[in-house]
Amino acid sequence: NAGVTQTPKFRILKIGQSMTLQCTQDMNHNYMYWYRQDPGMGLKLIYYSVGAGITDKGEVPNGYNVSRSTTEDFPLRLELAAPSQTSVYFCASTSSDSRQETQYFGPGTRLLVL
Amino acid sequence: AQKITQTQPGMFVQEKEAVTLDCTYDTSDPSYGLFWYKQPSSGEMIFLIYQGSYDQQNATEGRYSLNFQKARKSANLVISASQLGDSAMYFCAMREARGGGSYIPTFGRGTSLIVHP
């Protein structure tokens, strides 16, 4: 099992450009999450999904969009990149929505918007 | 109000000594879960330990233990016999029920631990 994979590992964007951060998991997990981590801060939830076709906003969804057409994939779309979106982005998944389930994290995507 | 508070931005410990990383939380939900994750300089998030709100015993995983004081709403991580490889950021997180019953995780800001030889 590869677990949770993310591509790309690093990307530089110009202001106003768009891009999609890819996230794939091979553990057949229903629940998937996107977080951003700013320097010196914890993880803030952007969007999450409880299954294919179902997504919901987290704490900081503005400027992002997601889709979940399959169980495995949960891409994050940035439409008009802004310097405030410079961050490290983590995708995570978990098998069930219960209080004891830990999350499995991808390696992260470092994004720089100039 | 912050759900998870980690008041120590940085901690230093001598190799082979024990260290406690503080975490307090805020919830009105009687059913919740508490987690600690380690993030080394390479950036990945590594799960360390879990404590459920109904668990009577403090959780332990090898050199890691969780000092759970429910009435004080604290969930401190204790690392015994620190090793150089323990130098990393440590995050406390909580899963509590939100509207609709989903247990959405919330993370603290983290504590940077440096282990000196």
Side-chain angles (χ1 to χ4, degrees), chain A residues 4-73:
Chain A
V4 180
T5 57
Q6 291 182 240
T7 56
K9 290 184 180 178
F10 177 68
R11 182 78 182 266
I12 299 174
L13 280 183
K14 293 183 179 178
I15 294 171
Q17 286 185 322
S18 61
M19 77 165 292
T20 299
L21 282 66
Q22 301 291 347
C23 174
T24 300
Q25 52 90 11
D26 62 359
M27 298 173 283
N28 202 32
H29 286 173
N30 283 326
Y31 297 85
M32 296 187 74
Y33 310 82
W34 273 107
Y35 293 93
R36 59 176 288 171
Q37 183 182 25
D38 299 325
M41 304 291 285
L43 278 69
K44 296 198 173 183
L45 184 66
I46 305 171
Y47 271 95
Y48 67 99
S49 170
V50 303
I54 307 169
T55 62
D56 207 347
K57 295 178 181 179
E59 184 182 356
V60 289
N62 291 344
Y64 307 94
N65 279 301
V66 293
S67 60
R68 185 96 182 270
S69 56
T70 66
T71 299
E72 295 79 17
D73 300 308

Side-chain angles (χ1 to χ4, degrees), chain A residues 88-104:
Chain A
V88 180
Y89 291 84
F90 287 98
C91 179
S93 72
T94 188
S95 60
S96 71
D97 184 36
S98 64
R99 60 186 174 94
Q100 70 263 31
E101 286 293 330
T102 187
Q103 294 174 299
Y104 294 84

Side-chain angles (χ1 to χ4, degrees), chain B residues 25-103:
Chain B
Y25 59 92
D26 180 27
T27 182
S28 57
D29 182 8
S31 175
Y32 53 90
L34 296 158
F35 302 80
W36 277 91
Y37 291 86
K38 173 184 178 182
Q39 187 180 43
S41 58
S42 52
E44 73 268 32
M45 294 287 286
I46 302 167
F47 165 72
L48 294 177
I49 197 166
Y50 162 81
Q51 179 84 44
S53 59
Y54 296 122
D55 294 343
Q56 297 294 320
Q57 307 265 10
N58 285 341
T60 61
E61 290 285 349
R63 294 187 299 111
Y64 304 107
S65 60
L66 202 152
N67 184 359
F68 181 46
Q69 298 189 39
K70 194 171 182 176
R72 299 177 64 179
K73 293 188 176 178
S74 75
N76 299 338
L77 177 70
V78 181
I79 305 175
S80 63
S82 298
Q83 301 172 357
L84 296 178
D86 293 334
S87 294
M89 283 290 291
Y90 289 80
F91 292 96
C92 180
M94 175 174 65
R95 293 191 79 163
E96 58 173 341
R98 301 278 184 91
S102 291
Y103 283 88

